[in-house]
């Protein structure tokens, strides 16, 4: 049995309208990993997930899930996967409990066992009180949690979440992060696509970036962040008569008492604070201009865009 | 593995039955009202003036045809609307991501259509008892014809849903194909009353065979041979099943 939770080899997808969504995608996700699959809109993330979960037919290539080939061992492969899609795709007229218990039935789980498991997951996701409510009556956040409960009911080894926190408020998002971390610690391999790069940075150990149907980056989060050449910080300070002089740094006064400074990797912050101290500048607060992964993501995708155009 | 498939089949079937029972005002009441009107207008009011048909009262003659008509339309529309809604709302993906073979998906949905068709058939039969006494020539023929016809039209509804892209598409076939074929299928008249040319044309209408077979089960009279009824039903069921299986396997309207 393979050690990989997911192995994709030379995956191609060409749609009938001629669009080539995937151009020989190669990707491996190890067992127990928390993997972020990122990419701009239309990069091929959802197509990849669609193929893995049998909702999209591939043009060519090979996909194995925990060693089970999607072409020859489909039933075994499907049993390993739980999918939380981007769009709500349950019957809005069914109750929460019906949706989860029926889904269990499709995996051969008896009704008695399914009801037991449904209680377990609905309680964990704070939906048990809503078990007899029709799905259409739930709030957006509850609907997202319902899809997670439904995906977990057959206790998959690989959970794929396609933008699970889109449109979810901050409090709920953070509680979902805790829940997902907990699942991962229990040994469930998780693949996450998201547009919130802070989310990917907080949760994931490895990261893959897809652009134009190809994997342009596949590494650990640590290695990826190490590639950053510089970071931009914003400093709030008590305004002085003279503009701060920060020799060796690219600094811009963006407002009264607000300074934006690019700090190269080899420069560090100590030297910068020394310069502030020498000029008697009192710093009130500092923050990143953007999430650091976001900066890197934009950089990588833009570079790849340029290379493709050339 | 067999247990997995059995549980999956029961889950789909239960979901389908729960669906049509939940919306019973839309699914169970209308056919009962429609058939009651047929019984009152064609059976009681006009039937007395028409007299006998093939040796039985006109009311007795039309009851099996009307029961069969309600079975056909309800089996068809149950699968068609349910499967299309699942496609439209994308909750068919719940089944597509699960290890459920195509045969089980077909059997589950068709099972739901059969359940509704037979339930409606039973209710209409009970309603008919208010108008005419109940006679049975052969229970076996009634049950076989009922089951095979409900199966066939459930499969036809599934095919319609697979091809349908809009809600208009699921009403086109019932309106322009199913209703004319049913009304011209010998519900209200015996084929022997038609001129020879139209008798010949009617033999190309598969519903003629089903209504004739069903009527034989109740009254012991028929327009076409019973074996022909079963042969036609078996051929169409096999063809429709194979076609539905092929389309779902290929992902027609289901997978990109």
């Amino acid at each position: 049995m393979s050690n990989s939770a997911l192995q994709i080899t030379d995956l191609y997808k060409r749609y009938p309208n001629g669009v080539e969504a995937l151009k020989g995608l190669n990707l491996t996700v190890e067992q127990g990993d928390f993997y972020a699959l990122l990419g701009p809109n239309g990069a091929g993330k959802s197509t990849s997930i669609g193929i893995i979960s049998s909702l999209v037919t591939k043009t060519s290539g090979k996909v194995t899930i925990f060693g089970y080939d999607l072409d020859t061992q489909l039933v075994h492969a499907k049993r390993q996967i739980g999918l939380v899609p981007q769009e709500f795709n349950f019957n809005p007229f069914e109750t929460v409990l019906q949706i989860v218990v029926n889904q269990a039935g499709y995996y051969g789980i008896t009704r008695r066992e399914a009801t037991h498991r449904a209680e377990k997951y609905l309680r964990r996701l704070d939906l048990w009180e809503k078990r007899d409510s029709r799905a259409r009556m739930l709030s957006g956040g509850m609907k997202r949690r319902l899809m997670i409960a439904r995906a977990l009911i057959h206790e998959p080894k690989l959970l794929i979440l396609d933008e699970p926190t889109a449109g979810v408020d901050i409090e709920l998002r953070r509680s979902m992060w805790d829940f997902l971390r907990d699942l991962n610690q229990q040994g469930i391999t998780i693949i996450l696509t998201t547009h919130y790069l802070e989310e990917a940075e907080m949760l994931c150990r490895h990261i893959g970036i897809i652009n134009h149907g190809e994997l342009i980056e596949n590494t650990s989060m640590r290695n990826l962040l190490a590639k950053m050449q510089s970071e931009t910080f914003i400093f709030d300070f008590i305004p002085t008569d003279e503009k701060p002089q920060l020799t060796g740094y690219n600094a811009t006064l963006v407002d009264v008492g607000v300074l934006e400074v690019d700090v190269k990797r080899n420069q560090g912050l100590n030297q910068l604070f020394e310069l502030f101290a020498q000029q008697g500048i009192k710093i009130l607060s500092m923050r990143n201009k953007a999430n650091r992964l976001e900066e890197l993501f934009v950089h990588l995708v833009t570079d790849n865009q340029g290379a493709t155009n050339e | 593995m067999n247990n997995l498939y059995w549980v999956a089949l029961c889950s789909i079937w239960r979901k389908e039955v729960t669906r049509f029972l939940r919306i019973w005002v839309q699914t169970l009441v209308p056919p009962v009202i429609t058939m009651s009107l047929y019984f009152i207008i064609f059976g009681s009011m006009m039937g007395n003036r028409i007299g006998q048909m093939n040796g039985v009262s006109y009311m007795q003659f039309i009851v099996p045809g009307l029961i069969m008509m309600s079975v056909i339309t309800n089996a068809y529309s149950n699968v068609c609307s349910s499967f299309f809604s699942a496609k439209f709302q994308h909750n068919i993906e719940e089944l597509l991501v699960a290890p459920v073979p195509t045969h089980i998906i077909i059997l589950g949905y068709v099972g739901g259509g059969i359940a509704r068709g037979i339930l409606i058939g039973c209710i209409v039969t009970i309603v008919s008892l208010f108008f005419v006494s109940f006679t049975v020539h052969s229970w076996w023929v009634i049950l076989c014809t009922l089951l095979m016809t409900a199966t066939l039209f459930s499969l036809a509804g599934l095919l319609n849903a697979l091809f349908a892209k809009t809600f208009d598409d699921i009403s086109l076939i019932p309106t322009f194909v199913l209703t004319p074929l049913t009304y011209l299928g010998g519900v209200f008249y015996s084929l022997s009353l038609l001129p020879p040319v139209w008798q010949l044309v009617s033999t190309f209408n598969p519903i003629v065979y089903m209504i004739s077979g069903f009527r034989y089960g109740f009254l012991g009279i028929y327009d076409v041979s019973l074996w022909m009824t079963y042969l036609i039903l078996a051929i169409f069921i096999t063809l429709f099943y194979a076609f539905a299986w092929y389309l779902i396997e290929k992902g027609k309207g289901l997978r990109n």
Side-chain angles (χ1 to χ4, degrees), chain A residues 54 57 78 89 106 150, chain B residues 15 93-94 96 255-256:
Chain A
S54 308
T57 313
K78 280 181 168 181
N89 70 340
Y106 305 154
R150 187 186 59 179
Chain B
K15 180 171 74 81
E93 291 173 5
E94 292 175 342
L96 298 178
R255 292 189 179 92
N256 282 313

Side-chain angles (χ1 to χ4, degrees), chain A residues 13 15 53-57 75-76 78-79 83 88-94 98-99 102-103 105-111 134 150, chain B residues 1 3-5 7-9 11-12 14-15 18-19 22 89-101 250-251 254-256:
Chain A
K13 174 63 188 178
Y15 285 102
S53 52
S54 308
L55 294 175
V56 175
T57 313
V75 170
H76 291 294
K78 280 181 168 181
R79 291 178 93 161
L83 174 69
F88 301 129
N89 70 340
F90 43 72
N91 185 339
F93 301 104
E94 287 178 353
Q98 280 172 341
I99 288 169
N102 282 338
Q103 187 69 20
Y106 305 154
Y107 287 83
I109 298 161
T110 59
R111 207 151 183 85
R134 304 243 176 264
R150 187 186 59 179
Chain B
M1 196 63 81
N3 187 51
L4 183 160
Y5 296 154
V7 174
L9 176 63
S11 297
I12 302 172
R14 190 185 289 110
K15 180 171 74 81
T18 308
R19 188 195 77 90
R22 185 178 65 231
Q89 290 162 175
H90 294 284
N91 57 294
I92 193 68
E93 291 173 5
E94 292 175 342
L95 278 168
L96 298 178
V97 300
V100 184
K250 285 280 166 195
L254 302 173
R255 292 189 179 92
N256 282 313

Side-chain angles (χ1 to χ4, degrees), chain B residues 224-255:
Chain B
V224 289
S225 117
L226 195 59
W227 294 113
M228 201 60 184
T229 295
Y230 290 139
L231 183 67
I232 293 284
L233 277 165
I235 288 171
F236 275 101
I237 287 172
T238 309
L239 287 176
F240 282 15
Y241 187 96
F243 193 34
W245 181 86
Y246 172 79
L247 292 175
I248 296 174
E249 279 287 301
K250 285 280 166 195
K252 167 76 182 170
L254 302 173
R255 292 189 179 92

Side-chain angles (χ1 to χ4, degrees), chain A residues 172-209:
Chain A
L172 182 59
R173 192 184 305 165
R174 288 183 188 275
S175 78
M176 279 170 72
W177 289 356
D178 290 339
F179 181 70
L180 294 176
R181 271 196 207 100
D182 196 27
L183 286 177
N184 184 241
Q185 277 165 10
Q186 288 168 32
I188 297 178
T189 309
I190 298 179
I191 298 176
L192 172 85
T193 80
T194 180
H195 280 118
Y196 300 112
L197 300 190
E198 180 200 3
E199 184 168 87
E201 190 179 342
M202 297 274 283
L203 293 173
C204 301
R205 285 192 289 280
H206 286 90
I207 185 167
I209 299 177

Side-chain angles (χ1 to χ4, degrees), chain B residues 96-139:
Chain B
L96 298 178
V97 300
V100 184
T102 301
H103 289 301
I104 299 295
I105 296 176
I106 296 175
L107 290 174
Y109 273 93
V110 168
I114 293 170
R116 177 165 154 193
I118 290 180
L119 181 60
I120 292 288
C122 291
I123 295 172
V124 172
T125 306
I126 291 167
V127 172
S128 75
L129 294 177
F130 290 100
F131 301 91
V132 69
S133 59
F134 192 68
T135 56
V136 173
H137 179 74
S138 165
W139 275 110

